[in-house]
Amino acid sequence: MVKFTIDKVRALMDVKHNIRNMSVIAHVDHGKSTLTDSLVAAAGIISVESAGDQRLTDTRQDEHDRCITIKSTGITLYYEMSDADLKGFTKERDGNNYLINLIDSPGHVDFSSEVTAALRITDGALVVVDCVEGVCVQTETVLRQALGERIKPVLAVNKLDRCFLELMLDGEEAYSGFNRAIESVNVVIATYTDEAMGDCQVHPSKGTVSFSAGLHGWAFTLTTFAKMYASKFGVDESKMMDRLWGDNFFDPATKKWTKRKTDSRTCQRGFVQFIYDPIKALVTTCMGDDHQKIFTMTDKLGITPLLKPQDKELVGKPLMKRILQTWLPAQNALLEMMIYHLPSPAEAQKYRVDNLYEGPLDDCYATAIRQCDADGPLMVYISKMIPANDKGRFLAFGRVFSGRISTGQKVRIMGPNYTPGTKTDLYIKNVQRTVLCMGRRQDAVEDVPCGNTVALVGLDQCISKNATLTDEKNDAAHPIKAMKFSVSPVVRVAVEPKVASDLPKLVEGLKRLSKSDPMVQCSIEETGEHIIAGAGELHLEICLKDLQEDFMGGAEIRVSDPVVSFKETIMNESDHVCMVKSPNKHNRIFMRARSMEEGLPEDIEDGRIGPLDDPKSRTEILSDKFGWDREQSRKIWAFGPDTMGPNMLIDATKGVANMSDIKDGCVAALNWATEEGVLAEENLRGCIFEICDARIHSSPMERRPGQIIPSCRRAIYACELASTPRLMEPIYLMEIQAPESALGGIYSVLTKKRGQVFEEIQRPGTPIYNIKAYLPVREAFGLTSDLRAATSGQAFPQSVFDHWETIDHDPLSPGSPAAVLMESIRKRKGLSPIPKPAAEYEDRLF
């Protein structure tokens, strides 16, 4: 039975110190949704018995069919804690009731964008790690994203039941595995942590690590057992917690603790003797069906009165689940970690505001976010759109960072392309309803104050994917920074309706699909093709299913084979200065190109260097890290494509008149030319174009954009062709788990597909090997089925986009592999097989 009402939830929303906003993040199949069920059951939304099996936060049918989470799902939970639970709590609080806004996120790498959207609007993260598999590729990816957003992590070492039932590990082996998983997580945290957050390392004796079995609904932290044993040993709980982890050994014969294992047979590690072995004994007894012995043990533990009569008739796993659920309820351990160790919005927004707000950090909006001020100006960030129950409509899901948002309020919507002072991507709209997300349903509330998550009805016409909302009159407000995704939409398919009359349905369906997913890109090529770009095969498969079934009403579509996005780059400096004349012959532009230094394109793509940076700090980074001349770094005109890409235009002229008048035209040309390169109309990457000299007509009519843009574009194309152009292909980082017997099959498949294995490690204590390899994305189609065929279904691959790699061959040399690839791309786009020569773009001096 539900233990709270919406009125109680609304009342607690005003108490910002008693709120926790958290995401559950992990690698695929590490047990996020099953663990979340225990928290949902504690709030009374589902029964305790069904926790772990129901997976309430998996709201779609295909999520249950595939047994993976596809969309991140928000749910608001209300808990009443006792004074005993909060005995050692020293942070600020108001009463014993707590509100937890929880978001369960997907673990599959193809849905990483959903994790990014969830992390932006939360302050803490529960990182779930399988105790046997340990830290995997996606664990590291999501943890890196969390730390980049200044999200504080706590750790749940999950699937402990595998140690008892499947692997039959003894205490020391299990302890080594747990310790290795915790150390691996701490290595990632140490690598990517931000000084503003303080110490984020997790440790069992601090209470920031829990050990759990989500499927069976039980978990514990060292606090759970420290409370049991502290009185027995006559020490305080914190000292007992230290003794229950690490190199602390107890000998019952001498009743002494030591830092080293002695020769005595009875001397054992504290964790093994007082935690692992008692649980193992209980599990073994339950699985042995010796009811008399079982209930003797439950009497000693004092949990027999808590068991229902029907529970005592269970046998095997169901009996074990009920007894351990009663003795070590998962929600107690998880709630303790969240309330004690995750920050409230009032605490988190103080150090998160620098990462969130784009404007000056001393204006009234930044100050209101920093103080989590409910009476300050409204600032809301919408991180994703959720399909509503009425077909075709969407809820805008996000977080209120300051002020309060209410039903009927008029808001100013700043889209991702909005720049302060302009009206681009700016809308004024009324909020029809404010609702709370409760998993599969939504509950309406009158208003939502800062520090809480919210879903808004009626704004879906103006918001495409994400946006910043503020009060209607706050025209000085800057937007909240856009999210950075860890994966790129590198796999594309073309779609068309089977019946021509369904084309309007397809166009409308693509608009809705674009709204429903934070990452998918829907576009129309010049050839009229409708293109959908996604992160991988599974992501595209889900997007196409949604498009056909949900957004087009079941109309049939034809889908092309997946194609991969490529990039174009240059290897050397231009072998000569390229000169072009404007169409009216009154203006001349002299330009040369060179490739970027290693690491600079990555810094631009990651947002460490960009057009919005302070010019002084950008000059410092470019001169210190990449050896640029300071004078040159001050003359960067633009980045492209889309004004943010990894290519630059630099004004290297000296004493040329009227250069400022042609700047806008040259910037527009850079964005156009870098979006459609000369080789195959793919984006350029890692190119620097320098205007060395120019002859600009003194009359404004003769140097208008219509004269400058096409000529500057031709100059960029000529420079690209004169600088050893190359194609770049996207590369996956692939992690494969398989037994030793399957390694031969894996290597043969990867060799055929141009894969490079760079790491092969045996997982300690198991016959399973972890293989890491780099694999070109265009070779990855059908890889899963090939691997399963070659290894009899024993290999499990996971791939994530890692980097771009230059294809060594010259695309302008007929018959080379790069030339064949370029011709196939150009043919697909309806272009001539070979690009025009440089002479077509350059002009002669006389």
Side-chain angles (χ1 to χ4, degrees):
M1 189 183 119
V2 180
K3 297 176 183 174
F4 59 89
T5 62
I6 291 300
D7 295 336
K8 276 187 177 181
V9 170
R10 176 61 196 88
L12 197 51
M13 280 183 168
D14 292 316
V15 188
K16 58 188 178 186
H17 293 289
N18 287 36
I19 299 169
R20 299 288 183 271
N21 296 305
M22 52 141 332
S23 311
V24 187
I25 59 175
H27 188 75
V28 67
D29 280 341
H30 277 201
K32 294 175 298 301
S33 302
T34 46
L35 203 55
T36 305
D37 268 6
S38 297
L39 289 168
V40 176
I45 295 175
I46 61 174
S47 70
V48 175
E49 288 81 5
S50 63
D53 299 320
Q54 192 160 338
R55 304 209 312 279
L56 184 92
T57 47
D58 285 353
T59 55
R60 297 160 51 115
Q61 185 54 46
D62 54 354
E63 290 180 319
H64 282 273
D65 296 342
R66 290 173 181 267
C67 290
I68 59 166
T69 304
I70 290 168
K71 299 284 180 189
S72 53
T73 310
I75 189 163
T76 299
L77 305 169
Y78 175 98
Y79 300 99
E80 292 176 357
M81 310 298 287
S82 66
D83 287 329
D85 292 330
L86 301 170
K87 190 174 74 175
F89 189 74
T90 52
K91 292 186 194 172
E92 201 171 332
R93 66 184 170 103
D94 186 355
N96 287 1
N97 297 340
Y98 279 84
L99 193 68
I100 292 183
N101 296 311
L102 182 144
I103 302 177
D104 178 33
S105 64
H108 196 285
V109 64
D110 280 13
F111 309 115
S112 287
S113 55
E114 292 281 339
V115 182
T116 312
L119 288 170
R120 168 53 63 92
I121 57 175
T122 52
D123 304 316
L126 176 65
V127 184
V128 184
V129 173
D130 185 324
C131 68
V132 178
E133 293 187 7
V135 171
C136 295
V137 61
Q138 186 64 358
T139 318
E140 194 170 326
T141 306
V142 293
L143 193 48
R144 186 176 75 231
Q145 279 179 281
L147 294 164
E149 287 279 356
R150 292 191 179 171
I151 306 291
K152 205 153 197 173
V154 290
L155 178 65
V157 179
N158 197 27
K159 300 198 182 182
L160 250 68
D161 49 312
R162 291 183 70 185
C163 294
F164 304 119
L165 302 174
E166 184 184 316
L167 299 170
M168 309 285 186
L169 298 179
D170 67 31
E172 279 299 325
E173 285 177 322
Y175 172 83
S176 300
F178 303 157
N179 199 32
R180 200 164 33 248
I182 295 164
E183 281 176 0
S184 303
V185 168
N186 279 331
V187 166
V188 179
I189 291 172
T191 310
Y192 300 108
T193 195
D194 198 315
E195 288 173 15
M197 293 164 67
D199 182 23
C200 290
Q201 300 267 313
V202 294
H203 198 275
S205 59
K206 286 185 194 169
T208 47
V209 177
S210 71
F211 302 87
S212 58
L215 187 64
H216 297 149
W218 58 269
F220 62 88
T221 58
L222 293 194
T223 322
T224 316
F225 284 92
K227 284 175 183 170
M228 294 180 198
Y229 291 118
S231 55
K232 180 184 172 185
F233 283 96
V235 293
D236 64 338
E237 284 176 23
S238 60
K239 197 167 183 185
M240 193 67 216
M241 281 175 75
D242 289 335
R243 286 179 175 177
L244 288 175
W245 191 258
D247 293 333
N248 291 292
F249 300 87
F250 183 73
D251 190 346
T254 58
K255 296 193 175 172
K256 282 185 181 173
W257 287 91
T258 56
K259 286 285 180 187
R260 287 185 184 168
K261 190 169 171 43
T262 63
D263 295 334
S264 169
R265 275 187 176 183
T266 52
C267 182
Q268 271 189 303
R269 193 184 294 275
F271 176 81
V272 175
Q273 189 168 344
F274 297 112
I275 299 177
Y276 189 82
D277 283 351
I279 296 173
K280 187 177 182 181
L282 192 56
V283 170
T284 310
T285 312
C286 289
M287 297 307 287
D289 288 344
D290 186 345
H291 277 56
Q292 188 178 350
K293 194 175 175 184
I294 292 167
F295 294 118
T296 308
M297 293 172 90
T298 57
D299 288 339
K300 283 182 185 173
L301 294 170
I303 58 171
T304 308
L306 303 173
L307 295 170
K308 296 174 186 170
Q310 60 266 36
D311 293 340
K312 296 177 183 178
E313 293 168 14
L314 298 170
V315 289
K317 274 190 188 175
L319 176 64
M320 180 198 77
K321 178 178 175 178
R322 284 301 300 125
I323 288 175
L324 281 165
Q325 235 176 3
T326 311
W327 181 34
L328 303 169
Q331 65 274 14
N332 291 8
L334 297 174
L335 282 172
E336 177 209 311
M337 280 205 307
M338 288 172 207
I339 291 167
Y340 277 70
H341 302 291
L342 292 185
S344 65
E347 197 185 328
Q349 288 181 200
K350 285 176 186 164
Y351 56 77
R352 286 194 71 199
V353 65
D354 309 9
N355 262 21
L356 292 171
Y357 190 58
E358 262 190 13
L361 294 172
D362 54 356
D363 69 5
C364 62
Y365 307 102
T367 307
I369 293 174
R370 191 177 289 110
Q371 295 170 353
C372 194
D373 185 2
D375 300 320
L378 176 71
M379 289 300 283
V380 178
Y381 185 74
I382 300 299
S383 74
K384 63 175 284 193
M385 306 296 283
I386 303 172
N389 293 333
D390 0 337
K391 288 278 182 192
R393 297 306 301 269
F394 290 85
L395 301 169
F397 184 57
R399 157 92 173 261
V400 187
F401 284 103
S402 70
R404 63 181 71 234
I405 192 158
S406 52
T407 302
Q409 184 174 350
K410 208 167 229 188
V411 292
R412 178 185 174 89
I413 301 169
M414 297 177 276
N417 299 322
Y418 170 76
T419 42
T422 66
K423 294 203 171 175
T424 314
D425 214 359
L426 179 71
Y427 306 92
I428 308 287
K429 199 93 164 95
N430 277 26
V431 176
Q432 289 176 10
R433 270 187 314 155
T434 49
V435 297
L436 297 182
C437 280
M438 303 297 276
R440 295 172 192 185
R441 66 168 213 277
Q442 288 83 35
D443 289 317
V445 286
E446 189 57 37
D447 63 345
V448 174
C450 60
N452 292 281
T453 54
V454 65
L456 305 171
V457 180
L459 305 181
D460 51 339
Q461 303 297 321
C462 307
I463 302 175
S464 57
K465 287 180 189 288
N466 44 62
T468 306
L469 313 185
T470 184
D471 290 315
E472 180 194 4
K473 305 228 167 73
N474 292 348
D475 48 8
H478 285 66
I480 286 170
K481 288 178 184 173
M483 297 179 290
K484 292 188 193 82
F485 296 119
S486 67
V487 289
S488 303
V490 290
V491 183
R492 298 145 54 95
V493 292
V495 291
E496 60 179 13
K498 274 193 176 173
V499 182
S501 58
D502 286 335
L503 186 61
K505 280 187 188 176
L506 176 67
V507 173
E508 189 56 36
L510 287 170
K511 282 183 193 167
R512 291 177 187 170
L513 176 66
S514 181
K515 271 191 173 63
S516 74
D517 190 288
M519 166 161 290
V520 71
Q521 290 179 356
C522 303
S523 57
I524 301 176
E525 296 275 283
E526 284 181 9
T527 54
E529 281 184 311
H530 293 273
I531 301 291
I532 301 174
E537 278 185 283
L538 181 62
H539 185 216
L540 273 180
E541 192 182 324
I542 297 295
C543 288
L544 291 167
K545 176 183 173 294
D546 287 354
L547 173 67
Q548 192 171 347
E549 293 178 11
D550 298 344
F551 305 134
M552 288 180 61
E556 290 191 347
I557 54 174
R558 275 198 204 96
V559 182
S560 72
D561 290 334
V563 291
V564 177
S565 305
F566 291 84
K567 301 245 184 209
E568 299 177 23
T569 191
I570 55 177
M571 300 296 287
N572 305 312
E573 192 170 329
S574 305
D575 52 19
H576 65 280
V577 173
C578 303
M579 189 275 289
V580 292
K581 297 175 184 175
S582 61
N584 62 9
K585 309 296 183 198
H586 291 314
N587 305 285
R588 293 178 185 177
I589 295 172
F590 298 82
M591 191 182 282
R592 65 169 174 255
R594 62 183 174 88
S595 62
M596 280 186 183
E597 292 78 1
E598 196 174 326
L600 182 52
E602 286 77 12
D603 278 5
I604 296 171
E605 286 166 339
D606 294 342
R608 288 189 284 273
I609 296 172
L612 304 176
D613 294 347
D614 172 49
K616 278 188 181 175
S617 63
R618 186 169 66 203
T619 299
E620 288 295 322
I621 295 170
L622 288 170
S623 62
D624 296 348
K625 190 173 175 183
F626 299 105
W628 277 44
D629 177 59
R630 285 175 180 271
E631 187 65 32
Q632 186 188 38
S633 59
R634 288 192 196 101
K635 291 195 166 186
I636 296 172
W637 263 6
F639 292 75
D642 301 326
T643 70
M644 305 287 280
N647 302 284
M648 290 186 199
L649 180 66
I650 295 175
D651 171 20
T653 59
K654 287 188 170 65
V656 177
N658 304 318
M659 283 301 286
S660 57
D661 294 343
I662 67 162
K663 180 178 175 180
D664 287 349
C666 291
V667 170
L670 176 81
N671 280 303
W672 184 8
T674 53
E675 193 161 334
E676 297 176 352
V678 72
L679 294 180
E681 291 195 1
E682 297 283 359
N683 288 3
L684 264 71
R685 184 179 186 273
C687 307
I688 298 170
F689 299 98
E690 296 177 357
I691 302 176
C692 325
D693 199 0
R695 301 283 180 273
I696 309 301
H697 200 281
S698 56
S699 165
M701 278 304 290
E702 303 295 347
R703 59 172 190 259
R704 60 188 184 274
Q707 299 294 329
I708 300 301
I709 293 174
S711 52
C712 188
R713 175 174 174 253
R714 284 192 297 119
I716 290 172
Y717 281 172
C719 287
E720 185 187 343
L721 289 168
S723 308
T724 324
R726 291 286 183 269
L727 286 172
M728 299 183 91
E729 63 179 345
I731 303 291
Y732 274 149
L733 167 63
M734 181 158 279
E735 188 174 279
I736 305 168
Q737 296 162 1
E740 190 175 1
S741 58
L743 295 186
I746 292 169
Y747 276 96
S748 66
V749 170
L750 288 177
T751 307
K752 279 180 202 162
K753 291 187 171 278
R754 298 193 295 123
Q756 293 177 320
V757 175
F758 64 91
E759 189 178 284
E760 179 191 301
I761 297 175
Q762 185 173 4
R763 202 179 292 150
T766 68
I768 302 294
Y769 278 77
N770 268 23
I771 295 166
K772 286 187 179 176
Y774 289 129
L775 185 81
V777 173
R778 62 187 164 128
E779 303 285 357
F781 302 123
L783 177 81
T784 307
S785 53
D786 289 354
L787 273 177
R788 286 189 180 147
T791 62
S792 309
Q794 292 176 304
F796 296 95
Q798 268 275 306
S799 46
V800 56
F801 169 73
D802 189 76
H803 65 277
W804 293 92
E805 193 171 279
T806 307
I807 299 172
D808 289 336
H809 308 281
D810 182 3
L812 299 177
S813 166
S816 72
V820 173
L821 176 64
M822 179 185 74
E823 284 174 28
S824 69
I825 299 169
R826 292 181 68 86
K827 187 179 174 186
R828 190 183 78 234
K829 292 184 175 181
L831 306 170
S832 61
I834 299 167
K836 293 177 186 173
E840 293 275 330
Y841 297 109
E842 285 185 79
D843 286 313
R844 297 177 65 178
L845 199 53
F846 302 108

